[in-house]
Amino acid sequence: MAIKLREIVEFKGTLKVGGSGLRIGGAKEGAGIGETDNPIIRHPITHLPYVPGSSVKGKIRSLLESKHCPQTQESGLPCKCGRCAVCDLFGSGDSKTIQSPSRLVFRDCQPTKGTQEVWEEAGTSSEVKTEVLIDRNKGLSYGRIGPRTTERIPAGSDFDFAFSLRIFEGDDTSKYYTLLAEGFELLEKHYLGGSGSRGYGEVAVVVNDGAPMAAHLRQKAKGA
Ligand SMILES: [Zn+2]
C-alpha cells in the first residue's frame, strides 16, 4: 500500500520539572571519589543534563497502551498489533504487523537558556541524594548496600521540548491529536524517569504561551 506524506506538523514548548526532581539514569564510567553511584544522563560534550526524546516517547506510549491496548493489558508488553491508533502513532515495533511508519518523532530536550543560567549561578546542574536502605528486621541500615547516592535534576528546571507528527494522506488527524492530548495528560498525572513512587519525575509540558500541551492538542483536534 502506497502511503503519501501530506505534511509534518511541529510542536514546540517547555518541559517543566516539578515535584522532587527528575531522574533519568545514565551510564556510570567508574565512579571517582565524591561521585554518585547513580548518575543522570548528560550530554557528552556540554556535560549538562538532558531529557532523551526516547524517554518521553516511551513513557507516553506505555501509558496510552495500558489504557487502550488489550494486548498490553494482558501481557504488560508493548502493543504490536499494528492496527490500533497507538501503533499508528508510535510505530508497531514489529516488522510482521507494521502497516505504516511511525508518525511521531520526539527530540531530545536540552535545558533552556534560563535554566542553564540558574545552574551556572548555583555552580551545579543536579542534586545528589543519599539514600539509606533499612533492614526491616534489625532496624539498621545495610552496611554493605547503603548508603547509596542518587543524582537527579532539580525541580524548577526547564527544558526545550519539541516533537513532530507526520500526517499521511487519509489520516484521521483529529483522532491522533486527541490521543496525544490524553498521553500528555497521563504523563503529567504519572511520572517520567525513575523513582516515581518517591515523588520524582513530576513533569508538565506547556506550549510557548504557557498553556498545557494537552489543551493545545485538543484545540488542534477540534480544528482538524
Ligand atoms: Zn497496537
Side-chain angles (χ1 to χ4, degrees):
M1 186 175 64
I3 294 176
K4 193 174 160 202
L5 181 68
R6 205 170 77 202
E7 60 173 324
I8 298 177
V9 187
E10 293 193 74
F11 294 88
K12 285 199 165 97
T14 308
L15 179 114
K16 302 175 86 65
V17 177
S20 320
L22 171 65
R23 183 181 152 67
I24 295 176
K28 189 173 75 169
E29 299 161 12
I33 292 167
E35 284 179 21
T36 168
D37 305 325
N38 300 294
I40 50 172
I41 192 162
R42 288 173 180 275
H43 189 281
I45 310 279
T46 65
H47 296 288
L48 291 174
Y50 73 100
V51 180
S54 57
S55 299
V56 182
K57 186 181 181 189
K59 187 69 194 195
I60 292 180
R61 178 181 185 140
S62 76
L63 289 166
L64 286 173
E65 282 172 338
S66 38
K67 190 147 184 223
H68 294 290
C69 302
Q71 223 181 67
T72 296
Q73 288 153 14
E74 219 165 273
S75 66
L77 297 169
C79 186
K80 290 181 176 177
C81 77
R83 295 182 305 273
C84 70
V86 178
C87 283
D88 279 350
L89 275 178
F90 293 83
S92 98
D94 184 340
S95 57
K96 281 184 237 98
T97 57
I98 202 158
Q99 303 275 336
S100 65
S102 163
R103 284 165 173 78
L104 281 172
V105 173
F106 281 81
R107 311 274 176 217
D108 287 347
C109 314
Q110 308 296 343
T112 62
K113 217 162 164 267
T115 284
Q116 286 189 41
E117 283 166 10
V118 170
W119 288 348
E120 221 162 89
E121 209 160 289
T124 183
S125 53
S126 71
E127 56 188 340
V128 174
K129 188 160 179 274
T130 303
E131 287 170 344
V132 180
L133 296 174
I134 302 293
D135 182 323
R136 265 64 172 172
N137 296 326
K138 295 181 189 147
L140 300 166
S141 66
Y142 288 102
R144 276 185 304 152
I145 304 171
R148 58 178 192 166
T149 53
T150 296
E151 192 181 23
R152 61 189 178 186
I153 296 168
S157 304
D158 288 345
F159 291 80
D160 289 321
F161 184 82
F163 71 95
S164 64
L165 175 67
R166 292 198 292 177
I167 296 170
F168 296 100
E169 212 66 62
D171 274 0
D172 183 349
T173 46
S174 173
K175 184 174 80 176
Y176 293 151
Y177 289 142
T178 303
L179 190 65
L180 265 173
E182 193 182 15
F184 279 100
E185 282 160 358
L186 290 169
L187 176 69
E188 293 185 4
K189 283 184 199 155
H190 205 66
Y191 62 87
L192 183 65
S195 300
S197 65
R198 286 183 280 169
Y200 293 19
E202 189 184 312
V203 293
V205 181
V206 298
V207 289
N208 290 332
D209 67 1
M213 178 64 79
H216 180 66
L217 286 161
R218 289 204 189 280
Q219 205 56 43
K220 290 233 17 141
K222 276 188 205 159

